[in-house]
CSV table of all heavy atoms in Angstrom, one decimal:
chain,number,residue,atom,x,y,z
A,82,TRP,N,120.2,26.8,-23.6
A,82,TRP,CA,119.7,27.3,-22.3
A,82,TRP,C,118.7,26.4,-21.9
A,82,TRP,O,118.1,25.4,-22.6
A,82,TRP,CB,119.0,28.6,-22.5
A,82,TRP,CG,118.0,28.7,-23.6
A,82,TRP,CD1,118.2,29.1,-24.9
A,82,TRP,CD2,116.5,28.1,-23.6
A,82,TRP,NE1,117.1,28.9,-25.5
A,82,TRP,CE2,116.1,28.4,-24.9
A,82,TRP,CE3,115.7,27.6,-22.5
A,82,TRP,CZ2,114.8,27.9,-25.2
A,82,TRP,CZ3,114.5,27.3,-22.9
A,82,TRP,CH2,114.0,27.4,-24.2
A,83,ILE,N,118.4,26.2,-20.6
A,83,ILE,CA,117.4,25.4,-19.9
A,83,ILE,C,116.5,26.3,-19.1
A,83,ILE,O,117.0,27.3,-18.5
A,83,ILE,CB,117.8,24.2,-19.2
A,83,ILE,CG1,118.6,24.5,-18.0
A,83,ILE,CG2,118.7,23.3,-20.1
A,83,ILE,CD1,119.0,23.2,-17.2
A,92,GLU,N,103.8,30.9,-4.7
A,92,GLU,CA,102.8,30.0,-5.2
A,92,GLU,C,102.0,29.4,-4.1
A,92,GLU,O,100.9,29.1,-4.2
A,92,GLU,CB,103.5,29.0,-6.3
A,92,GLU,CG,103.7,29.9,-7.6
A,92,GLU,CD,102.7,30.3,-8.2
A,92,GLU,OE1,101.6,29.7,-8.7
A,92,GLU,OE2,102.5,31.6,-8.3
A,115,VAL,N,102.0,20.2,-2.9
A,115,VAL,CA,103.4,20.3,-3.3
A,115,VAL,C,103.5,19.7,-4.7
A,115,VAL,O,104.1,20.3,-5.7
A,115,VAL,CB,104.2,19.6,-2.4
A,115,VAL,CG1,105.7,19.7,-2.9
A,115,VAL,CG2,104.2,20.3,-0.9
A,126,GLY,N,106.4,24.4,-18.9
A,126,GLY,CA,107.6,24.1,-19.7
A,126,GLY,C,108.9,24.2,-19.0
A,126,GLY,O,109.9,24.0,-19.7
A,132,THR,N,113.0,21.7,-5.4
A,132,THR,CA,112.3,21.0,-4.3
A,132,THR,C,111.8,22.0,-3.3
A,132,THR,O,112.4,23.2,-3.2
A,132,THR,CB,113.1,20.0,-3.5
A,132,THR,OG1,114.3,20.6,-3.2
A,132,THR,CG2,113.5,18.9,-4.4
A,137,SER,N,114.4,23.7,4.9
A,137,SER,CA,114.3,22.5,5.7
A,137,SER,C,115.5,22.0,6.4
A,137,SER,O,115.7,20.9,6.7
A,137,SER,CB,113.9,21.3,4.7
A,137,SER,OG,114.9,21.1,3.7
A,141,ARG,N,116.2,26.4,10.9
A,141,ARG,CA,115.0,27.0,10.5
A,141,ARG,C,113.8,26.3,11.0
A,141,ARG,O,112.8,26.7,11.6
A,141,ARG,CB,114.8,27.2,9.1
A,141,ARG,CG,115.6,28.4,8.5
A,141,ARG,CD,115.2,28.5,7.0
A,141,ARG,NE,116.0,29.7,6.5
A,141,ARG,CZ,115.5,31.0,6.4
A,141,ARG,NH1,114.3,31.1,7.1
A,141,ARG,NH2,116.1,31.9,6.0
A,149,LYS,N,114.4,18.0,14.5
A,149,LYS,CA,114.7,16.6,14.3
A,149,LYS,C,114.3,16.0,13.1
A,149,LYS,O,114.7,15.0,12.7
A,149,LYS,CB,114.2,15.8,15.6
A,149,LYS,CG,114.8,16.3,17.0
A,149,LYS,CD,114.3,15.5,18.0
A,149,LYS,CE,114.9,15.8,19.4
A,149,LYS,NZ,114.4,14.8,20.5
A,150,ASN,N,113.5,16.7,12.2
A,150,ASN,CA,112.9,16.1,11.0
A,150,ASN,C,113.5,16.8,9.8
A,150,ASN,O,112.9,16.6,8.7
A,150,ASN,CB,111.3,16.4,11.2
A,150,ASN,CG,110.6,15.6,12.1
A,150,ASN,OD1,111.1,14.4,12.5
A,150,ASN,ND2,109.7,16.3,12.8
A,159,ALA,N,112.0,15.7,-2.1
A,159,ALA,CA,112.7,15.3,-3.4
A,159,ALA,C,111.8,14.0,-3.9
A,159,ALA,O,111.5,13.9,-5.0
A,159,ALA,CB,114.0,14.8,-3.0
A,164,GLU,N,108.6,11.6,-8.1
A,164,GLU,CA,107.4,10.7,-8.4
A,164,GLU,C,106.7,11.5,-9.6
A,164,GLU,O,106.2,11.0,-10.6
A,164,GLU,CB,106.6,10.8,-7.3
A,164,GLU,CG,105.2,10.2,-7.6
A,164,GLU,CD,104.2,10.4,-6.3
A,164,GLU,OE1,104.7,10.4,-5.3
A,164,GLU,OE2,103.0,10.3,-6.5
A,166,ILE,N,108.0,13.8,-11.9
A,166,ILE,CA,108.8,13.8,-13.0
A,166,ILE,C,108.7,12.5,-13.9
A,166,ILE,O,108.8,12.6,-15.0
A,166,ILE,CB,110.4,14.1,-12.7
A,166,ILE,CG1,110.5,15.6,-12.3
A,166,ILE,CG2,111.2,13.8,-13.8
A,166,ILE,CD1,111.9,15.9,-11.7
A,212,GLY,N,116.4,11.6,-4.1
A,212,GLY,CA,116.6,11.4,-5.5
A,212,GLY,C,116.9,12.7,-6.4
A,212,GLY,O,116.7,12.6,-7.6
A,234,ALA,N,127.9,19.7,0.4
A,234,ALA,CA,127.8,18.9,-0.9
A,234,ALA,C,129.1,18.0,-1.2
A,234,ALA,O,129.0,17.0,-1.7
A,234,ALA,CB,127.5,20.0,-2.0
A,269,LEU,N,137.2,28.2,-5.3
A,269,LEU,CA,136.9,27.0,-4.6
A,269,LEU,C,137.4,25.8,-5.3
A,269,LEU,O,137.7,25.6,-6.4
A,269,LEU,CB,135.1,26.9,-4.8
A,269,LEU,CG,134.3,27.7,-3.9
A,269,LEU,CD1,132.9,27.6,-4.4
A,269,LEU,CD2,134.6,27.5,-2.5
A,280,CYS,N,116.4,36.1,-6.9
A,280,CYS,CA,115.7,37.1,-6.1
A,280,CYS,C,116.0,38.4,-6.4
A,280,CYS,O,116.1,38.8,-7.6
A,280,CYS,CB,115.8,36.7,-4.6
A,280,CYS,SG,114.4,37.2,-3.6
A,282,VAL,N,116.0,42.8,-6.4
A,282,VAL,CA,115.0,43.9,-6.4
A,282,VAL,C,114.5,44.2,-7.9
A,282,VAL,O,114.0,45.4,-8.0
A,282,VAL,CB,115.7,45.1,-5.7
A,282,VAL,CG1,115.9,45.0,-4.4
A,282,VAL,CG2,116.9,45.5,-6.4
A,289,ARG,N,122.1,43.2,-14.5
A,289,ARG,CA,123.5,43.8,-14.5
A,289,ARG,C,124.4,42.8,-13.7
A,289,ARG,O,125.6,42.8,-14.1
A,289,ARG,CB,123.4,45.2,-13.6
A,289,ARG,CG,124.7,45.9,-13.3
A,289,ARG,CD,124.6,47.2,-12.7
A,289,ARG,NE,124.0,47.2,-11.3
A,289,ARG,CZ,123.8,48.1,-10.6
A,289,ARG,NH1,124.2,49.4,-10.9
A,289,ARG,NH2,123.3,48.1,-9.4
A,304,LYS,N,117.9,34.0,-12.1
A,304,LYS,CA,116.5,33.6,-11.6
A,304,LYS,C,116.0,34.7,-10.8
A,304,LYS,O,116.0,34.8,-9.5
A,304,LYS,CB,116.7,32.3,-10.7
A,304,LYS,CG,115.5,31.3,-10.7
A,304,LYS,CD,115.8,30.0,-10.0
A,304,LYS,CE,114.6,29.1,-10.1
A,304,LYS,NZ,113.4,29.5,-9.2
A,330,ALA,N,113.9,37.1,-19.7
A,330,ALA,CA,114.4,35.9,-20.1
A,330,ALA,C,115.4,35.9,-21.2
A,330,ALA,O,116.5,35.3,-21.2
A,330,ALA,CB,113.4,34.9,-20.2
A,340,ILE,N,121.0,29.0,-17.4
A,340,ILE,CA,119.8,28.5,-16.7
A,340,ILE,C,119.1,29.7,-16.3
A,340,ILE,O,119.6,30.6,-15.6
A,340,ILE,CB,120.3,27.7,-15.5
A,340,ILE,CG1,121.2,26.5,-15.7
A,340,ILE,CG2,119.1,27.2,-14.7
A,340,ILE,CD1,121.7,25.7,-14.5
A,371,ASP,N,123.0,50.4,-20.6
A,371,ASP,CA,122.0,51.5,-20.9
A,371,ASP,C,120.8,50.9,-21.5
A,371,ASP,O,119.7,51.3,-21.2
A,371,ASP,CB,122.7,52.4,-22.0
A,371,ASP,CG,123.7,53.4,-21.4
A,371,ASP,OD1,123.8,53.5,-20.1
A,371,ASP,OD2,124.7,53.8,-22.1
Side-chain angles (χ1 to χ4, degrees):
W82 53 267
I83 66 173
E92 286 301 289
V115 177
T132 54
S137 65
R141 282 187 175 270
K149 294 182 180 180
N150 293 323
E164 174 190 337
I166 288 173
L269 289 171
C280 209
V282 291
R289 177 174 66 177
K304 210 168 188 289
I340 303 176
D371 290 337

